């Protein structure tokens, strides 16, 4: 991961943590709590919008790249059918 990608990832993570009131170690940790999974999904989606690779996103989140692919693919369904997820995503995207 180059310096620019790292800077973008840090900005995305800081914004995400601030908007969702969640700690970075929770997002990057092993927790399977809903808030952590929602945060990882939103972060993965945003990072892909910035053309980060699945492997780089996985390294940041301490996840396998296949998990990141699942997060990105599931974003649209979660956004349309899960109101909690939708409110969380909107809070982060509109900040």
């Amino acid at each position: 991961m180059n310096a620019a990608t790292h800077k973008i990832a840090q900005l995305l993570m800081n914004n995400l943590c601030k908007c969702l009131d969640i700690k970075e170690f929770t997002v990057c940790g092993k927790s399977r709590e809903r808030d952590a999974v929602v945060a990882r999904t939103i972060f993965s989606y945003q990072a892909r919008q910035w053309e980060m690779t699945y492997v780089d996103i996985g390294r940041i989140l301490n996840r396998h790249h296949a998990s990141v692919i699942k997060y990105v693919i599931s974003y649209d369904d979660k956004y349309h059918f899960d109101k909690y997820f939708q409110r969380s995503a909107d809070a982060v995207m509109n900040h």
Side-chain angles (χ1 to χ4, degrees), residues 7-8 23 26-29 39 43-44 62 72 75-76 84-85 89:
K7 180 76 171 173
I8 291 169
K23 303 288 185 206
T26 304
V27 178
C28 298
F43 178 82
S44 298
N62 297 316
V72 173
Y75 181 91
D76 286 333
Y84 176 80
F85 182 87

Side-chain angles (χ1 to χ4, degrees), residues 12-41:
L12 290 173
M13 184 63 73
N14 290 342
N15 183 53
L16 176 85
C17 291
K18 182 179 177 183
C19 291
L20 298 183
D21 192 30
I22 192 168
K23 303 288 185 206
E24 185 173 344
F25 69 84
T26 304
V27 178
C28 298
K30 295 184 182 272
S31 175
R32 293 177 14 186
E33 291 181 7
R34 185 177 191 183
D35 290 341
V37 175
V38 166
R40 284 184 208 117
T41 304

Side-chain angles (χ1 to χ4, degrees), residues 5-88:
T5 303
H6 182 71
K7 180 76 171 173
I8 291 169
Q10 195 60 47
L11 290 171
L12 290 173
M13 184 63 73
N14 290 342
N15 183 53
L16 176 85
C17 291
K18 182 179 177 183
C19 291
L20 298 183
D21 192 30
I22 192 168
K23 303 288 185 206
E24 185 173 344
F25 69 84
T26 304
V27 178
C28 298
K30 295 184 182 272
S31 175
R32 293 177 14 186
E33 291 181 7
R34 185 177 191 183
D35 290 341
V37 175
V38 166
R40 284 184 208 117
T41 304
I42 295 168
F43 178 82
S44 298
Y45 181 81
Q46 284 187 321
R48 282 299 293 168
Q49 297 299 309
W50 283 93
E51 299 181 1
M52 290 178 64
T53 67
Y54 292 116
V55 173
D56 285 343
I57 299 167
R59 285 186 185 134
I60 294 164
L61 296 176
N62 297 316
R63 293 287 185 281
H64 193 271
H65 75 277
S67 298
V68 176
I69 292 170
K70 182 201 170 283
Y71 292 142
V72 173
I73 289 172
S74 68
Y75 181 91
D76 286 333
D77 284 340
K78 286 183 179 184
Y79 187 85
H80 291 294
F81 297 109
D82 183 344
K83 295 299 179 193
Y84 176 80
F85 182 87
Q86 185 179 43
R87 284 191 301 272
S88 298

